[in-house]
Structure formats: structure tokens, C-alpha cells
Amino acid sequence: MSEITVLDRKGLELFLDTSEDNVRLVGRGSLSSLVKPVVRRVNRILEDEKPIDVMNDSVVVSSWFPPIPSEPFKRAVKNEVNALLLNRYSPQAVSLNISECSLNCDECNILGDGSQLETEYVKRFIRDSQDLGAVSIGFAEGDPFLRPDLFELIEYVDKEKSIVSVFTPGPLLDKENADKMKESGVHAVITGIKSPVPEEHDKARGMDGAFESAISGMKNALEAGLYVSMHTHVKPSLVETGKIEQIYQLAEKTGVDELTMWDSHPTWGYKDNTEIMLSSEHRNQLLDLRKKANNKKTGPRVFYNGYFESKDFFGCMAGKRWLNLIHNGDVTPCTYIPIEFGNIKQESLKQIWKRMTGFDGFKGKNSCVMQDKEFREKYINPYSVSELPLDYKKL
């Protein structure tokens, strides 16, 4: 089939043209001119990104994106059309930070004792977020394998609506868990590396052998047939010492599908720690690394959040295309912004999402708001760490 319909409504049809070697999104109909920005954005991703897997009937561009074609991908395109034509945003990326952790990292976004949210509430959150349009659900922060109900929750996700990712530091990613993830329908595994130097990684994780277990875990996931991304929060020192290139080489040696680079942010317990933030020059070097890697025929591709959260693509996704659940049922705009807009034990996710998308602080932001000094000084810095997450009613 050379045309795969993605959206068909009066005056507008969007379809994937697979008649050539590459895949591209095409619009036709009287309203097609209105969605040209969406079409251009999707096609830029398809053209500018080295895929991690190309099969006879589908393409996997990244561990972060649904396969093309697939029902989750169709939902993603529909969501973008709704955002453009109706100014109605959907929480396409959903993260669940509801796990304890066995590590003692030097920077951490886990609040309190990392208490575990009851299964019934997590399932309701998953169902409600999918009803709102979620296309990617990630079990993240801490170590999801410490939740005894992890695989029950993974299986609960409707895979016709969303892909599932598991973020883990690696100690519990043995062959058995890797195989169980594959059987449960997990799309990708993301594992963090703090440094290409084992001793430095272990120190940052607060555990001897953390580096070895992370590499071993990624290899177990690859052997199970899962897509694997090596993930790193990039600090200035990684760029200035050339260690970010060494991490790419480590990703290449390990055989993972992708290296994910994420700009470092002031974490919840270190909100004034701005020295870990990148300069524009640092980001330009990461953009060059991304471009170089994705133009190579071999080796892992690179996903860089600074590229996709720029004004040329989606801008800051927090509270527009991303929402995050934490251990006590509070909902925040993303993993990094310590502001809660409601609790799923007290009101519906639909109400919380509506409140979040209407927050003035997120409007007009073309890049990550936690990188925005004005935003931090207005909404975050006046409060103490002990008050986090901040109640939206205080702001």
C-alpha cells in the first residue's frame, strides 16, 4: 500500500506516502493549506532523522516516537492538527515518576521517601491520559523494577493508543526482566549514563558497580529484541572535556540504537544549581554532534531534546504536550518543573490538564521553561526546597 490514511475529515485528508524509498506525510483537500505547518514539521522529522529500524511495512525513527505507520503515530498527527486548528493540546508524552530507587545519585527528582502510588490510581491515570491523547507512556525516575506491579501496569496500557518505555538505571535489568518487558509489549528501554568513566559514573550514582550494571542491562534489553537508548543529562563539563563524544563512542561500542542527550536542569533539590546549565555554545556543539551522528550510515542515532524543544519544532512541551505523575498522585507539567496542578486522588485528570494548559507561565515559551531565568525567578526561586512541589494556587 503506497498511501496510509492518518486523518480523514471533511475537507482534509492526511496520509503517509510510502511509494518512494522514504516516508512522507501528505495533505489534500480544501483545508490542507491550514495544516501545512504540521505537515512540514512531521516531514522534517522524517527527512532529517536517521531511523533506528527500517522494516518492510514500518519505520521506527526513534525510541521516543511511535512506529510509522501505527495507531499511536496516527494519534500523534491528529493531536498536532488539533493543536494547530483548535488550539487544543493533548498530553502526548506522559511520564510516571512513581518508583523507589536503590541508588543515591548526586542529583535527584524523587521527593520524600519515594512512596509508591497505589495500583488502582496508576491504572486510572493511564486510562485517563490515553483518553486525553497520550501516544507515549514512560515509567521513569527511580527504578520502575522496584514496583511489584510494574508488568501489570505495562500490560494495562492500551498499545493501540500509546507506546511504552521503561527508564531504568540498570541494576535490575537482568535477562528475565528484559524478556518480560518484550513479552509485555514494551517499545523501548532508556538507561542513563552519567560519565564514560566507570568510576565517575559510579560516584554520581552513589553505588559501586553502577556503570557495569547499566551496560549489562542495556545489552540484556538488546538481546531481548527491545529498542535501547543510552541517556545522558549533559552538563557543561561533559561538553568542555569532550566526554560527550566519548559517551557517543560508548553507545556505539555497546550497540544501542540511540544516544539521548538531554540538557541538564536545576533539579528539585538543587533549584539554584545553575552552573550545571548549558550555554548557547554548548548547545551548538550538541547540535553539531547530533547532525554528524545522524548523517552517518552506521552507529547509533542521536536524539537531542534541545533540537525538538526549540522554536523551530515544538517549543517547551511542558503543560502542552507533556505531563508527569509523581509518587503521591500530584500531577506536574514535566519531570523537571516542581509545580503541581492537582492530585488524581482528588479530581479528574481532565480537570488538571485543563488547568495546566491554561497556566500563563507556559505561554509563548519557545524552549524549556526551566532554562528560562525569568520563569525560575518568578515561579520557583522564591520558595524553599522543602515546599516542593509547589501548589499551583500559590503562584
Side-chain angles (χ1 to χ4, degrees), residues 47-73:
E47 294 167 1
D48 197 34
E49 297 295 309
K50 179 173 69 176
I52 62 177
D53 199 4
V54 179
M55 294 159 280
N56 291 332
D57 57 352
S58 66
V59 175
V60 178
V61 176
S62 166
S63 64
W64 297 88
F65 302 145
I68 305 171
S70 67
E71 290 304 315
F73 177 77

Side-chain angles (χ1 to χ4, degrees), residues 130-389:
Q130 289 194 299
D131 288 344
L132 287 172
V135 300
S136 175
I137 293 180
F139 295 89
E141 295 298 332
D143 195 335
F145 289 116
L146 290 172
R147 285 195 67 102
D149 60 355
L150 174 63
F151 291 101
E152 179 183 349
L153 294 173
I154 291 172
E155 291 173 358
Y156 185 78
V157 177
D158 184 348
K159 310 305 189 301
E160 287 298 304
K161 295 179 178 179
S162 313
I163 60 171
V164 176
S165 300
V166 175
F167 298 66
T168 172
L172 300 177
L173 185 48
D174 54 23
K175 292 182 181 295
E176 181 181 357
N177 279 331
D179 289 338
K180 287 176 68 175
M181 281 194 291
K182 181 64 176 179
E183 294 167 4
S184 300
V186 170
H187 173 72
V189 174
I190 294 92
T191 297
I193 289 292
K194 297 280 191 177
S195 168
V197 180
E199 294 79 11
E200 292 179 358
H201 176 88
D202 289 358
K203 182 178 179 181
R205 287 297 196 197
M207 186 182 85
D208 292 340
F211 182 89
E212 183 180 347
S213 67
I215 299 300
S216 175
M218 284 184 271
K219 290 181 178 179
N220 289 334
L222 287 168
E223 289 178 8
L226 293 158
Y227 296 116
V228 178
S229 183
M230 182 180 291
H231 184 288
T232 188
H233 281 97
V234 184
K235 297 180 181 180
S237 59
L238 286 181
V239 181
E240 294 164 2
T241 61
K243 287 181 179 177
I244 188 61
E245 284 85 1
Q246 294 176 32
I247 290 179
Y248 180 81
Q249 293 166 6
L250 177 64
E252 196 168 21
K253 179 181 177 181
T254 307
V256 299
D257 302 290
E258 184 172 54
L259 171 65
T260 293
M261 302 187 302
W262 213 274
D263 290 348
S264 282
H265 304 72
T267 52
W268 291 18
Y270 304 83
K271 62 189 178 70
D272 295 321
N273 191 15
T274 54
E275 66 266 19
I276 69 172
M277 294 172 59
L278 303 178
S279 67
S280 58
E281 177 58 32
H282 293 137
R283 294 192 187 94
N284 286 336
Q285 292 184 55
L286 296 181
L287 288 169
D288 288 343
L289 173 59
R290 175 200 162 275
K291 183 176 182 180
K292 181 179 178 181
N294 290 352
N295 281 323
K296 288 174 54 180
K297 290 186 177 181
T298 60
R301 69 178 303 279
V302 168
F303 177 94
Y304 175 38
N305 84 298
Y307 177 74
F308 283 95
E309 290 194 285
S310 68
K311 63 181 180 179
D312 295 327
F313 270 96
F314 299 109
C316 184
M317 294 179 64
K320 285 187 176 180
R321 296 176 175 87
W322 187 0
L323 65 76
N324 177 63
L325 177 69
I326 65 174
H327 67 282
N328 63 351
D330 285 342
V331 180
T332 67
C334 71
T335 301
Y336 306 102
I337 300 175
I339 303 173
E340 59 88 359
F341 285 83
N343 190 291
I344 60 171
K345 294 183 177 182
Q346 300 166 1
E347 57 185 328
S348 72
L349 185 61
K350 185 176 182 180
Q351 289 175 301
I352 298 171
W353 179 247
K354 182 178 180 181
R355 181 183 301 128
M356 191 181 294
T357 56
F359 181 55
D360 287 340
F362 299 150
K363 294 179 180 178
K365 298 298 183 181
N366 292 323
S367 59
C368 171
V369 299
M370 285 300 284
Q371 302 278 355
D372 188 312
K373 181 179 180 181
E374 179 181 343
F375 178 89
R376 294 196 313 276
E377 290 184 347
K378 182 176 182 179
Y379 295 111
I380 309 298
N381 291 347
Y383 304 93
S384 67
V385 170
S386 63
E387 294 179 89
L388 304 182

